Amino acid sequence: MVRHLPPFLLATLALSNTSAFTTPNHHGSIPSTTQKRSSVALSVIRQPIMMPTQEPMVPYRAPGSTYDQFIGMKARQLKERKLWIAQYIDDDAANSIISSLLYLQSESDKEDIKLYLNIPGANLRPALAIYDAIHELKADGCKIATTNIALCAGMGALIAGSGTKGMRYSLPNARYLLQKTGMDVVFQGQATDIALEVRDIKKWNEKVNGMLSKVTGQSPERIDEDLRRDFYLSSEEAVRYGLIDEVLLPMPNKRQPPSEVVDLGSFTSGAEQKYQGETATPMEQQQQGGPNNGMLRTNDDDEPKIAKG
């Protein structure tokens, strides 16, 4: 006769196979199941708590609408024709920037476009694509203002200087770094191919020097001499160099000089004051002995009358 084990005994046997305190077998080794489970448990690493990195949402009311909707910060500023370029410029960044510029031009080719720049560096060809797009928009009559808010390095400095003349700005503590370009990626191949790539880089450096010469007004010889090493410029030095036009400084608080008399205007009126429902002014009622026996009515007249004996 077959006898079945009690349910609680079966549960105990099942738990014993996955227990963390399993004893070694007669060979002196721990079963493989326990080793696998312990190795998986030890490989778990708790990730640190990080702040959310999503784009901030701001309210926006579309023209003709009666309610607000939340959209991204960049999309909201793009509706005001403001475009932020605060990243290293590669192929993907150049595609996004150029598409945004073309969209703003399609919306209106007469209104200004404002570019706020913080470019730590850029690849040669994507940056030249943005440079050509800016000049194409300028040729169509669209004015483009550029403002360096922190750093424009390499080709970013050329983009900062490619705005409309008179509309190239910088914050007081912003900086510029002019330098020659190199290879975007590590180039491998035969010696002849490497020599051709180096020759092409030298040719494009000469072209970029010519572009900087047109932007700044400096001679190509001086540009080539300055760019032999990294050439840093502060915002004031960039104005003198011709790379930008103006440094944006905070306006001082406009206060009234203490010695000057402040004219607050006249608070008198030529018309006589009348209370609602009355035909005569309070002064006329006083002279004529009006409803208050010649006395002006005040708030104290509402108290109870005192009978005099």
Side-chain angles (χ1 to χ4, degrees):
M1 182 178 61
V2 179
R3 299 183 61 180
H4 297 281
L5 295 176
F8 71 91
L9 185 57
L10 292 176
T12 303
L13 293 176
L15 291 175
S16 63
N17 293 331
T18 58
S19 175
F21 300 97
T22 304
T23 57
N25 52 21
H26 63 281
H27 296 290
S29 61
I30 300 175
S32 59
T33 304
T34 306
Q35 293 179 352
K36 181 183 295 186
R37 291 183 179 274
S38 61
S39 61
V40 172
L42 293 176
S43 63
V44 176
I45 300 176
R46 183 182 296 276
Q47 296 293 334
I49 300 176
M50 303 179 65
M51 295 297 292
T53 58
Q54 295 181 355
E55 182 180 2
M57 306 295 287
V58 295
Y60 169 72
R61 178 173 296 185
S65 178
T66 58
Y67 61 92
D68 294 337
Q69 57 181 343
F70 284 89
I71 62 176
M73 179 74 74
K74 294 182 179 179
R76 179 66 182 91
Q77 293 181 339
L78 195 64
K79 292 182 179 295
E80 297 180 356
R81 304 181 69 82
K82 298 178 182 179
L83 180 61
W84 287 79
I85 306 177
Q87 58 181 330
Y88 185 90
I89 297 179
D90 52 8
D91 293 333
D92 295 336
N95 294 336
S96 176
I97 294 169
I98 294 174
S99 61
S100 299
L101 291 174
L102 295 178
Y103 168 75
L104 294 177
Q105 184 194 27
S106 63
E107 288 290 318
S108 175
D109 56 354
K110 303 301 181 184
E111 299 182 12
D112 301 346
I113 299 176
K114 300 178 182 179
L115 302 181
Y116 295 91
L117 310 175
N118 183 15
I119 305 175
N123 293 341
L124 175 62
R125 294 168 181 82
L128 289 177
I130 297 176
Y131 176 83
D132 294 338
I134 292 176
H135 279 271
E136 184 67 23
L137 267 63
K138 290 166 53 179
D140 293 339
C142 184
K143 296 182 179 180
I144 297 180
T146 58
T147 303
N148 180 12
I149 62 174
L151 173 66
C152 287
M155 295 298 294
L158 178 63
I159 295 176
S162 62
T164 303
K165 290 293 183 67
M167 302 176 64
R168 303 173 301 178
Y169 309 112
S170 173
L171 295 185
N173 294 319
R175 303 185 68 190
Y176 297 85
L177 172 59
L178 302 178
Q179 57 184 182
K180 292 185 178 181
T181 60
M183 295 183 180
D184 297 340
V185 295
V186 177
F187 186 82
Q188 298 179 353
Q190 299 180 358
T192 305
D193 297 334
I194 295 177
L196 292 175
E197 184 71 16
V198 172
R199 187 184 308 171
D200 185 69
I201 292 294
K202 289 184 177 180
K203 181 180 67 175
W204 277 107
N205 276 323
E206 295 177 357
K207 289 187 177 182
V208 171
N209 291 347
M211 297 175 187
L212 285 173
S213 177
K214 293 180 181 179
V215 168
T216 60
Q218 305 291 339
S219 62
E221 292 76 14
R222 181 177 179 180
I223 295 292
D224 185 68
E225 181 67 23
D226 292 338
L227 266 65
R228 289 184 179 275
R229 293 292 183 268
D230 290 349
F231 189 61
Y232 285 94
L233 293 173
S234 64
S235 55
E236 293 83 2
E237 293 171 344
V239 174
R240 294 194 295 266
Y241 201 76
L243 187 61
I244 60 174
D245 303 308
E246 185 178 353
V247 179
L248 300 178
L249 298 175
M251 295 294 293
N253 296 331
K254 296 183 178 180
R255 296 180 179 178
Q256 193 74 20
S259 59
E260 186 175 346
V261 178
V262 181
D263 184 13
L264 299 179
S266 177
F267 290 90
T268 60
S269 176
E272 293 289 345
Q273 182 180 3
K274 296 181 180 181
Y275 292 101
Q276 184 177 4
E278 295 180 353
T279 58
T281 63
M283 187 60 65
E284 293 175 351
Q285 292 181 4
Q286 183 179 5
Q287 294 175 356
Q288 298 174 3
N292 204 17
N293 295 326
M295 299 297 294
L296 292 177
R297 179 177 176 82
T298 61
N299 294 333
D300 295 338
D301 295 338
D302 294 335
E303 61 184 7
K305 305 298 181 179
I306 301 176
K308 296 182 180 180

